[in-house]
Structure formats: C-alpha cells, structure tokens
Amino acid sequence: MYTTLKEVTKTATELNFTVGAFNTHNLEMLPEMIEAAKEMGSPIIIQTSVDTAKYIGYSVLVSVVRTIADNEMVDAVLHLDHARDFDDIKAAIDSGYTSVMYDGSHLPFKENILKTKAVVEYAHKRGVSVEGELGTIGGTEEGIHVEENDKVYTKPADAVEFVAATGVDALAIAIGTNHGQFKSKTEVNIPLLKEIHAVVHIPLVIHGGTGVKEEDYPELINHGIRKFNVGTELLVNWTKTAQESFAETSINQSLRHNVIPANDVCKSIIKHKIGLFMNVDSPLNK
Ligand code: 13P
C-alpha cells in the first residue's frame, strides 16, 4: 500500500525495528527497490532529492511508486529528502508525495521552528508526514558541503522544544554521521542518542547511513532510530556495476543489459540492509 512516514514509523516503533529509507536517482532502480522490500516482508521509504524529483518529475515518481506499491502490496512511502524551499515542498505534496523533509538545520533555531511549523501545517492538512532536522550532518550531498568543524550535534533540550513547537512526525538528528561517506566509517555518538531518545518521544532519523558501521545498527535501533537513510552506497554500486556493463556491451545492445545488473546490485544491498534493520537479534525483540 502507498502509505505515509507516520504510519510505517508507528509500526517500527511498536515492533522495535527501523525502516530503510533509500535514495533513488533514477526510475530504473525503483521496481527492484520495492521488490527487495517485498521479499523481506518490510515497509520501505523511497526518497528523492529535490533535484532528482525535478529531473524525473514529481508526479511521475508518485505514479510509479504508488502503482508498484499497490500492485505488489508493499507498504511504500515516497519522501522528499532535504527540501529547503517551500515551493519544492508544495510541489511534492500537491503531486502526491506522502512525506517531506523540511531541512531548516542551517537556520537559526527559532527560524527553523517557524519555517518547519509552516510546512507541518500545510502537510498535515493534506495527510502528509513531515521530518524536521536539528543540528548538522557532515559531508556532502547534492553539492551542499558541511565541514567537519561546522558540524553541530543535536542538543537534547533543543530537540524537545523543537518537536513540541513544530509538531513534526520524525526528527533527523546529528550524532556524528556524514552524508556521502563511502570510503570509511564514522564514530556515532551513541551516548548522545540515548540522551535524545530519553526525552524525545517521536521517531528519530539517521542520515548518512552509508558511513555507519553495521555493528552499530542494533544500538541505534534500540534507542529510537525508526528511519535509516542509505543513499551513497546504492549510488556508487549502481554506477560501478553499470560502468562495468557498459564497458563490456556493444553500443547497439539493448540498454537493459547494462541497467539490469546495476538494479540487481541495489536490490541485494537493500535486502541485506533491511535484514539488519529488522533487528531480530535484539534482546528487546525476543
Ligand atoms: P548517504 O548517502 O551518506 O547514505 O546518506 C543518505 C542520506 O542521509 C540522505 O539524506
């Protein structure tokens, strides 16, 4: 079923798992992404940047995700990632996205609250979920770079105030992760996550999932992470596999010979991640 972030994270909270939120950069990989979730028996969040949404078309993405989700009976959310402009958010919501992120993390605290609140009002009236962000994630995404020294970790007291004042459905927190970190792994600040989770009672979101060590997943999930973003790992593996295929095939061969192997690689990564996200080995789930 084509559904919302609020719905899938509610189930994830009840059952103590996290929902994988995977970035797509094209239409090609979408069917296999949703098929991966179907085979694992899990919901999935498909997310696009604003630029990808504009490249493919908001309503085209909605049609494709909705059709596959309904046909395959998979709980799938279509989420707009890191939008900073209200017009982009409106375009997504009016086209049928079921979830949006307003990223006001670069703004002064009060301004972030006011702008996020306005997005929540617009979105909730239309049944759409909203993710906000407090603190800054490091690294580079869609050309926006945050230096290591400019990273600001989320303060628990600010998070409490932000959630109460805005009414967001999920909160992206900064606990040491970086966007686009695919050559190394980061040290996540688990004690800070525990502090935030003790006082913030809505689903928490990890960004920069590619750079997170898989052995840290259980701690993250057991302390409230209910949406786990993975983008770069899919992107680099899709591109690498496609590059290898393109190098081997002749120019008049159907494109599917190059694209299918790349899609298959993404599918197996997603199945692997979802297997970990289900958190079945956690003592809390026994
Ligand atoms: P990575 O690309 O680093 O996995 O991060 C994805 C993300 O957080 C999207 O907002």
Side-chain angles (χ1 to χ4, degrees), residues 23 47 81-82 141 178-181 207-210 229-232:
N23 291 75
Q47 52 189 14
D81 196 22
H82 287 289
E141 191 177 61
N178 303 299
H179 284 124
Q181 183 176 0
H207 281 249
T210 299
N229 291 3
V230 178
T232 305

Side-chain angles (χ1 to χ4, degrees), residues 137-140 146 148 151 176-181 186 207-211:
I137 319 289
T140 303
V146 176
E148 188 62 28
K151 274 164 69 172
T177 61
N178 303 299
H179 284 124
Q181 183 176 0
T186 194
H207 281 249
T210 299

